[in-house]
Amino acid sequence: MWRPRIVAFFCKWCAGAAAEVAGVSRMHYDPSVIPIIVPCTGRVSPEMVMHAFLNGADGVLIGGCHTPNDCHYIAGNFKAFKRIYMLRKLLQQAGIEPERLRIEWISATEAVKLVRVVNEFSETIRRLGPLGGKHA
Amino acid sequence: MRLGVFVCHCGVNIAGTVNVKKVVEEALKMPGVVHAEDYIYLCSQPGQELIAKAIKEKSLDGVVVAACAPSLHYETFAKVVEGAGLSRYRYEMVSIRELDSWVHIDKEAATDKAIRIIAAAVAKLAGDRHYDMIKMNVVKKLLVIGGGIAGITAALTAARMGIPVVLVEKSPTIGGKMAMLSETFPTLDCAQCILTPLMAEVARHPLIKIYTLAEVEDVTGSVGNFRVRIRVRPRGVKVEDCRLCGFCERVCPVQVPNEFNRGLNKRKAIYIPFPQAIPSAYAVDFEHCTKCGLCLKVCPTKAIDLEMRSEVIEDVVGAIVIATGYDLYPGSKVSEYRYGIQNDVIDSLQFERILSVQGPTRGEMRRPSDGRPIKRIVFIQCVGSRDVNHLPYCSKVCCMYTAKHALLFKERVPDGEAYVFYIDVRASGKGFEEFVKRAQEEAGVQYIKGRVSRIYKDRVTGDVVVEGFDLLLNREIVIKADLVVLALGMVPAIDRGLVEKLKIAVDQYMFVSEVHPKLRPVETAVPGVFVAGAAQGPKDIPESIAQSMAAAAKAAELLLRGYIEKEPIIAEVDRDRCNGCRICISICPYDAIELSEGRAVVNEAKCEGCGACTAACPVGAIQLRNYRNEQALKMIEAVLTVR
Amino acid sequence: MLKLAVIPGAICGGCDVALASVGEDLLKLLKYYEIVYWPTVIDRRMSELEDIDIIDVLIYMGGISTKHELENAKKLSAKSRIKVAFGTCSVYGGIPGFNTLYSPLEVENFVKRQSTMHLQQDRFGLPEVVEYMAYTDVIEPEILIPGCPPTEKVLDQFVKILIDYAQSRRLQGRHILLGDPESLCRSCPRKPKDMSKIVMPGIKRLYEVKLDETKCFLEQGVLCMGPVTRAICNHSCIANNFPCYGCGGPVEINSDSGLAMLSALSSLFMVDKEKSLMETGLARELDKVADPIGYFFKYTLPKSYLSRIIKMRKGEKSAR
Amino acid sequence: MQGSQIFSDPITRVEGSARIVFVVDGESVRAYYQVLEFRGFEKLAVNRHIEELPRIMSAICGVCSWSHHLASAKAVDMIFGRSPPPRAKLTRILANYIQIIDSHLLHLGIMAFPDLIYWGDGRRDILRLYRDYPEIAAAALKARSIVKHIENKLGGKFQHAALAVPGGISRGLLKDDINEILKWFAELRPVVSTLHKFFDEHIKNNKKFREALKDNRFVLRGLSMGLVRDGFLEFYDGVLKIVDHNGKVVEEITDSLKYAEVIGEGIADWTYAKLPYYRRSNLRILDEASTFIVGPLARLNVADKVYGNAAQSEYGEMIDEAGGKPILNILFYHWARLIEILHSVDAIEDILHTHERELLEGDTMDLRETFRPEGVGILEAPRGTLIHHYRAGENYITTYANIITPTTFNNSSINISLNKVCSRLAKEIKAYGRPEPETLSIVESIIRAYDPCNSCATHCLYLNNMELSISFKLIVINSNGEVLWRSG
């Protein structure tokens, strides 16, 4: 049975911290979302996202700090937003469902939101089915 | 490459859901891994020794620890690794507890996820290199923002350690809210007697430079080298020449509400907030001064200069202490209590001014509206505080200063009656409970457990009628009082502009967030920026003083050492591949990249290692140390390879 | 005499003319090499080329769009010592690379729908069209010459290499990518002396702005692929006040220059107005790029992550 | 003819991008000029930013990339509702003239002369021509480098130029640009006169060539089409005039959007090139009367006057030779090319001298914006009328693109001309099992006359005469697909 393969880039300061809080509070979410902790969402390059899709990811989720002022590195989240927005336009034009790539602002205290977003996203990916990667 | 992977059971926290044995088995198959083992509690002493032993025996050159969250034990294992002679940058820690075992039920999926998380760490570790800590010199000077008791204490503590201090205060004098108080609990010693000597010492101390009527306009740079711009508004009076004779005040035609006395009386356009003000000189309120020039004529020493301009002071400091203090929650927001001087419903600071001998009533117990002597007084606690519609938190100090107010009132008016409407009396400090008991029993203050529902002025008798409910006697209660004092909640006085300039984190009430209440209570997330006093949260004077000394001590730890060591995980440029296209310098939020001979170079002091430039560089010439592009791609492949 | 063959794939003829108009250098080459096949210049038949067992230098021009061209490329390359991918189409797929977005059938139906009359007759062996690909998708050439068409700069390099090979029978390196290993920004005349920051005022399409002849194009809000494009020319289009379209391909052979520029441009524009514009304002500006594929991938689409993902989605293994 | 034929290897093995297939079925023979190249530019243009098409579409052809660049630019201008200011328009006209001269000189000097000088004697060999007339080779290569310099100056690159922007040009010419162009242009004049003198001495009085000019097999009673402006031969901007084989003007299209009412585009299964035909006639594709002739000969059929007295006198001489207009013998193409060279040279001379100030001063771009969903750019490329037709949607995205290149127009005419030679070829096959050399050279002369540019791979610069092979395949098969004979 196909299980979605989802890569989640969480920024260390906000989404990553929220993930830890979610752990401490024993909340539950879909295990097919594999977290990679990055210093800032500003570090996530479009190449990393596309590399994930090419290597079998069915969905890529990015969690960062709320705009306009929460980013520990001041404006990394804005850079991430702009790059991901343009990348989604590119995917959409090429006929790849843009919903497979999602960026969310999750502050360190919003563990509940993190769990909701992760579960929602994995549900979306289940609905969309495999991207067509190796294990399809 | 000889890598070691250590997987922790954390009792059953991890082993309960993750099949640790299988994880270790899979780890051994990962590229470069020569050793993998699991242990029940890696963070324990035997656990740590196990790792150190493995490093030495297997001569490992890289370690991955898969256990709890790095925010908990990254440092612990870093020290173990360094103890075993390996660089801390050849060590990665990943959480398979908070991010995996604790959040999943399906054992098989959790195990698979743990393996992938470890595989990513191993892939990253393969590319990690050692870097020496970055040493940067530190300017031995401290900036203290806010001249209240917290700011004064921090400045003095630092100066006494030989650290030059720049003290910036928004109002014409230092002293802050404490200067307004009459006596302080629980010792009832007079506030001025504690404060004014400290203020004098600050004024005299050669290492402390005070700027009043001043605000921090801009802060750039980073820890050890903050470039600060301070805007000083014109005082209108030359401090050294003012003899405090007061002739100018007498002739000044302008009358405006006196903010030091919280509007209970008026003051002139040229005034001194209170006699022991530091700097001890008059100041001109340029907002209301009509420049009629009468004061100029009468000033014996020609100290007044109405043409003074505001000026900007630039300075470089090594650290910053935020001591911006608090304000009371605006009484108008709690409309049902009819807050207002003419209604004889005042706030606690106003009552402090009535109590104070320098106050508008010279210490006599007379009402602010009509001067009628106060025979019966009602104190209402938790006004705004512990209220979801206003301030959900408890402001901590109101129960104590209300008990003090009631006690002092009964001393002044032995036959007077004092009532206190409260929810719970919170007197948790040393000698606090006894102090409240003294007020209740010796001074006969009536404590009524219940909320006040309505307050109105009886037009005929002039009484302030307070209708409330007594929970203990389970009956309504109506008190016709002369005066009502509201214990309004505490809110931070810091403004949004300063928060953004300093890039510090604040909570939803604008109290400055400390990094960790226990681990780093007086530090903010921005290295080199500390916080003390009410700016960090509601607290009383003794706590503010203790916290200010702590903040000064932490700052001294940084400033006295003369250099700071900085995490070397910053961006790095491969100068051959850089084409000087200027894209990285245009997006760096810290201006940490400069161009020399047409190619980019990273300023070690400024770069915070966020990596935004590395993802924008068109040819990948700038890379984040130990988070290079090829490492990131390898991590992604490791996470996604099909088991 | 060494044998040199020029094989035209799916070409526009520009590379033929570029190589032919190399002028005297061509004659210099003729001292060492005998042109055994080059339909545009000499009339030798394919049958003769098949009789030759080893071709010393095989120059393949253009991409691959028909089954015949694919077989031809593989067959001839198999017996060639030095394989040269000549021109951006051959190296990266070039502008016809947009065809990778559609299946050949889709395109044929598109053409049929446009026609006003259809003669149903036999195909007489009309070669069958395959999924468009670059030469480098099929073969690993020793020398790669980017450019649309290759400029004098890279052709000079190429002639020197060929002459050197003829004399020493040795090539320095396996994958020689001609042109200088730097982007056009390295020596761009439009860079300000004081190397100040680029302040990019939003995204302007070519029709919205009358371009200033001295300022960097990014500073005028117009996309210029200079930062990601290999220096194979001496800023000829930029000097003609026209932003670079990236025909030289990426600085290094297997990097995705389109995706890199997408990231650079998105990061760069309106950096100073991010907090005031917030997401909606920034999105509105980004929506002006209505065709990201055409905007960033004019010459390199077949080599991009995007087209490799599209291929993966269709299930075919990528050609090589 | 059965349905799909299963063909033996030779026919499926392809060389170059075009070939001719003769299908012998008993007595009747049919000729098919197969274009084997597949470009798909009309499909890949969809979804592109409309303003980027001029540089994307110029990649259709590397030899005449300028014409595609400028025609595309005209269509894009129309969609933005912009008209390039005089300075921009004049620069574009200058660029288009340079392209015309470049292509004609190359063709005349290197391909046409061998056909014409050694007419019909089967031994046409470019190397032999250059041994006999070395000045021609030098002239042709000299022309090539001069034009390259001028084109570099105008568009940054001599191929796939970077000049046209919506409503104008990216950069106006400066004084020293013009001086340099004038310097190179001065060197071009002697080259032109060399070729002109050569044409007078060796072509005009070549008896066989004169007879061929009368030979009915080279006549095509098609519809001549080309741009004219105030009766003058025009290349950049004018009225698209169509004259039938009797000289009657059948169409005068002023609004380029209306082209589709007149020009239909058929397709056949055996070629990737389209087969245009005249829609207003009730005839079908590949009927002689519904087929267009474009290019130098057609242009001179529709134009009344040419520019400059050298061109005018040649023009008069040609008309006398052909006995009046319209001239329907396709071999006159070569003569027409010479006339167009002379015309263009004088036109450029005029632009560079009398209109110099206009080239140097004034605005380079019209920035107005009145969106129109459709735009058609028509101009004369060296080989004939070139049409770029685009539709754009919201946010200026291309929603539709249709391109008819001169070679596409000539595709139909070549097929018809070839069919006129079929019967003779079939007889020779039956008699000797192979076609006579003379027939083969006639076939090639037809192709050479039209100068097809199937992405130009069929341009053969050198012809060595082993067995009269021509660079592209000539194959004769019978009705069930067996190969009776193939060239080379």
Side-chain angles (χ1 to χ4, degrees), chain D residues 10 51 74 86 92 157 209 229 236 312 379 384 388-389 405:
Chain D
E51 73 274 13
K74 283 178 74 174
R92 288 187 183 181
K157 291 159 80 169
F209 175 61
R229 199 156 53 79
Y236 181 72
Q312 192 60 36
L379 62 68
H388 276 250
H389 172 202
T405 64

Side-chain angles (χ1 to χ4, degrees), chain A residues 5 19-20 23 26-29 31 33-38 42-43 47-48 51-52 55 69 72-74 83, chain B residues 69 71 98-99 102-104 109 113 116 500 503 589-590 608 610 612 614-615 627 629 633 636-637 639-640:
Chain A
R5 185 78 68 221
E20 280 180 22
R26 303 300 196 283
M27 299 179 185
H28 288 117
Y29 54 83
V33 176
I34 316 289
I36 292 184
I37 304 298
V38 288
R43 172 65 192 85
E47 183 184 13
M48 283 161 67
H51 197 72
N55 281 278
N69 291 321
H72 179 72
Y73 299 104
I74 304 172
R83 292 172 191 150
Chain B
S71 55
E98 282 79 350
L99 299 186
W102 271 352
V103 286
H104 303 310
K113 178 170 177 179
R116 290 172 190 280
E500 267 165 23
K503 306 186 189 81
Y590 298 98
E608 293 289 323
C610 71
T614 63
Y627 221 104
N629 205 28
L633 301 186
I636 292 166
E637 281 158 33
V639 158
L640 290 167

Side-chain angles (χ1 to χ4, degrees), chain C residues 15-307:
Chain C
C15 286
D16 272 316
V17 173
L19 189 56
S21 44
V22 160
E24 322 72 32
D25 283 358
L26 205 55
L27 305 178
K28 262 193 253 153
L29 278 182
L30 293 179
K31 279 211 230 65
Y32 301 94
Y33 293 91
E34 180 212 355
I35 299 179
V36 292
Y37 188 79
W38 187 357
T40 313
V41 174
I42 58 158
D43 177 62
R44 285 290 200 299
R45 285 169 312 290
M46 185 56 78
S47 48
E48 289 167 83
L49 197 58
E50 264 126 29
D51 309 340
I52 299 171
D53 41 23
I54 289 288
I55 303 169
D56 293 292
V57 174
L58 180 87
I59 297 177
Y60 193 91
M61 291 179 177
I64 292 170
S65 65
T66 65
K67 204 148 66 57
H68 160 71
E69 277 161 5
L70 181 59
E71 284 144 20
N72 209 10
K74 282 183 183 160
K75 185 158 49 78
L76 296 172
S77 303
K79 59 177 185 178
S80 305
R81 286 210 179 82
I82 308 285
K83 298 172 283 299
V84 179
F86 192 97
T88 290
C89 285
S90 178
V91 181
Y92 301 110
I95 288 189
F98 284 122
N99 283 320
T100 51
L101 292 173
Y102 323 105
S103 71
L105 207 60
E106 262 176 289
V107 182
E108 258 172 52
N109 304 342
F110 176 88
V111 174
K112 284 203 176 68
R113 272 202 309 280
Q114 275 190 332
S115 65
T116 45
M117 198 178 284
H118 184 189
L119 269 178
Q120 307 285 19
Q121 279 169 328
D122 192 275
R123 283 179 72 93
F124 295 125
L126 194 65
E128 189 208 326
V129 174
V130 293
E131 175 87 32
Y132 182 83
M133 65 191 89
Y135 175 64
T136 50
D137 282 339
V138 181
I139 301 291
E140 285 208 9
E142 279 68 27
I143 300 174
L144 304 136
I145 310 178
C148 176
T151 55
E152 272 125 32
K153 182 181 206 170
V154 288
L155 288 175
D156 291 349
Q157 272 178 319
F158 180 51
V159 168
K160 281 195 194 63
I161 290 174
L162 282 191
I163 291 172
D164 176 52
Y165 175 73
Q167 290 156 347
S168 66
R169 286 293 190 287
R170 262 190 314 86
L171 267 186
Q172 316 92 338
R174 281 270 297 114
H175 262 263
I176 307 169
L177 179 61
L178 301 190
D180 302 338
E182 57 187 48
S183 82
L184 289 180
C185 294
R186 176 68 65 81
S187 48
C188 174
R190 290 172 177 252
K191 266 204 281 197
K193 294 293 159 290
D194 61 3
M195 285 301 210
S196 54
K197 287 187 179 186
I198 301 174
V199 179
M200 186 169 172
I203 294 176
K204 297 276 182 297
R205 294 260 298 266
L206 206 55
Y207 63 85
E208 289 177 275
V209 70
K210 184 171 183 322
L211 291 170
D212 173 285
E213 295 201 19
T214 56
K215 259 172 68 181
C216 161
F217 289 111
L218 294 175
E219 265 155 22
Q220 304 178 53
V222 169
L223 169 69
C224 169
M225 294 289 279
V228 290
T229 303
R230 190 174 175 89
I232 59 155
C233 62
N234 18 47
H235 305 89
S236 36
C237 301
I238 290 169
N240 208 41
N241 199 24
F242 206 103
C244 166
Y245 270 18
C247 78
V251 178
E252 262 141 31
I253 183 71
N254 24 31
S255 65
D256 185 341
S257 52
L259 198 62
M261 198 60 216
L262 180 148
S263 183
L265 189 86
S266 316
S267 319
L268 183 60
F269 84 93
M270 285 179 159
V271 164
D272 46 357
K273 297 193 183 58
E274 283 167 353
K275 291 201 166 152
S276 53
L277 282 171
M278 291 299 281
E279 280 86 337
T280 37
L282 295 171
R284 205 175 313 117
E285 198 63 27
L286 284 162
D287 282 340
K288 291 173 82 175
V289 179
D291 165 31
I293 291 183
Y295 201 53
F296 294 112
F297 296 94
K298 288 193 184 57
Y299 294 92
T300 57
L301 187 58
K303 290 292 168 179
S304 66
Y305 265 104
L306 185 69
S307 99

Side-chain angles (χ1 to χ4, degrees), chain D residues 90-148:
Chain D
L90 205 54
T91 314
R92 288 187 183 181
I93 291 172
L94 178 62
N96 198 36
Y97 269 129
I98 300 284
Q99 169 89 100
I100 299 288
I101 291 178
D102 169 37
S103 176
H104 285 359
L105 279 179
L106 202 62
H107 185 275
L108 208 59
I110 291 164
M111 283 168 278
F113 282 164
D115 288 356
L116 303 175
I117 295 167
Y118 310 107
W119 178 257
D121 75 3
R123 281 189 53 265
R124 290 147 312 104
D125 174 344
I126 201 70
L127 298 182
R128 179 173 162 228
L129 177 78
Y130 284 167
R131 269 199 306 284
D132 303 348
Y133 310 93
E135 74 280 9
I136 295 301
L141 286 178
K142 187 101 180 70
R144 184 78 210 102
S145 73
I146 291 170
V147 165
K148 205 167 85 173

